[in-house]
Amino acid sequence: MAQAETVEKILNAALVLFAERGFAETSLRTITGMADVNLAAVNYHFGSKKELIQAVFSKFLQPFCEILEKELDSLEAAQPEGGAPSAEQVISCVLDTMLKTTTVCGVSVQRLTRLLNLAYTQSQEHLRHHLVANFGKTYHRMTTLMHKTMPGVSPVEFYWRLYFMLGAAVFTLSSFDSLRSILNTDYSTDTELEEVLHLMVPALAGMLRSPHDPT
């Protein structure tokens, strides 16, 4: 088996298992069993479980950031002179990029958002350092554009509003299959993922821009 094929098989198995079970609950032996490679292959190609976790995130965040940078370039270039994108435009750009990334990586939005959730809900400080070092520039650009739409909101309040918004988005997308099933049962109707993303844009923008009440 070619080395590149071995690496890809390990990454794909790890991505699926981490998303479904979590980091601590997924052993390297389980990953290599699904990938059908020997245990030594993980150490040879990645060095450790921590580095494998980082590589899994890089697998989808690298194309995500590359696509998003181009999308944001186009979005800013389309603005009137001196103008800035709206929160809705930036959010739409991010969600569209997420869909495009799933096509490039061959992984569902549900799995990608479950992994993003794990980065914050499980103790993986090394992963957060990795994400900031390698993808922090694009994240900073995105959040700066969002903050510009709310000049009166302090950095601390914006920080919390941003994570309220991200938390709602991650929960909805990572739980999409379950939420869709409940909708089918309770309302006898269905909603495709693309339609849900469209519905999310004004709701998420509203979380960012809701009026500040100091009381």
Side-chain angles (χ1 to χ4, degrees):
M1 186 186 299
Q3 290 193 9
E5 184 182 354
T6 300
V7 168
E8 194 65 16
K9 289 180 73 172
I10 294 170
L11 285 173
N12 289 338
L15 190 153
V16 169
L17 290 168
F18 287 149
E20 297 300 327
R21 304 183 183 187
F23 302 127
E25 297 80 5
T26 303
S27 69
L28 292 180
R29 192 171 297 279
T30 305
I31 293 169
T32 55
M34 174 179 278
D36 194 25
V37 301
N38 61 59
L39 189 58
V42 174
N43 292 327
Y44 177 78
H45 291 292
F46 299 98
S48 68
K49 186 176 180 180
K50 286 183 179 180
E51 289 174 294
L52 175 57
I53 291 171
Q54 293 170 11
V56 166
F57 275 77
S58 293
K59 175 180 170 64
F60 69 90
L61 284 177
Q62 187 66 46
F64 175 84
C65 288
E66 290 173 358
I67 296 169
L68 183 58
E69 288 285 356
K70 293 177 182 178
E71 295 290 331
L72 292 177
D73 286 343
S74 298
L75 179 61
E76 291 192 280
Q79 301 304 310
E81 186 174 353
S86 67
E88 286 87 351
Q89 288 176 314
V90 178
I91 292 168
S92 291
C93 199
V94 173
L95 295 178
D96 288 344
T97 298
M98 179 68 75
L99 275 183
K100 291 176 181 177
T101 303
T102 62
T103 301
V104 171
C105 296
V107 182
S108 69
V109 169
Q110 294 92 312
R111 281 194 173 131
L112 295 189
T113 48
R114 284 172 194 160
L115 285 171
L116 291 173
N117 183 56
L118 289 173
Y120 288 89
T121 58
Q122 294 199 351
S123 180
Q124 299 291 328
E125 193 64 25
H126 70 94
L127 177 58
R128 285 188 281 276
H129 287 307
H130 173 75
L131 298 182
V132 170
N134 291 278
F135 309 108
K137 181 180 177 182
T138 301
Y139 179 79
H140 178 72
R141 180 183 182 185
M142 175 191 73
T143 56
T144 298
L145 285 173
M146 289 183 180
H147 198 185
K148 282 181 178 179
T149 68
M150 299 164 290
V153 175
S154 71
V156 172
E157 185 170 355
F158 171 74
Y159 171 89
W160 285 113
R161 289 190 184 198
L162 176 67
Y163 280 99
F164 297 155
M165 181 196 76
L166 291 176
V170 167
F171 167 77
T172 301
L173 295 178
S174 64
S175 309
F176 176 70
D177 290 336
S178 296
L179 296 174
R180 187 181 190 182
S181 177
I182 294 170
L183 179 71
N184 283 329
T185 300
D186 292 352
Y187 295 93
S188 300
T189 190
D190 195 12
T191 307
E192 297 294 333
L193 178 61
E194 290 77 5
E195 186 179 353
V196 170
L197 294 178
H198 180 72
L199 291 170
M200 285 176 69
V201 172
L204 296 178
M207 294 180 75
L208 282 178
R209 285 202 309 257
S210 59
H212 175 68
D213 182 1
T215 60

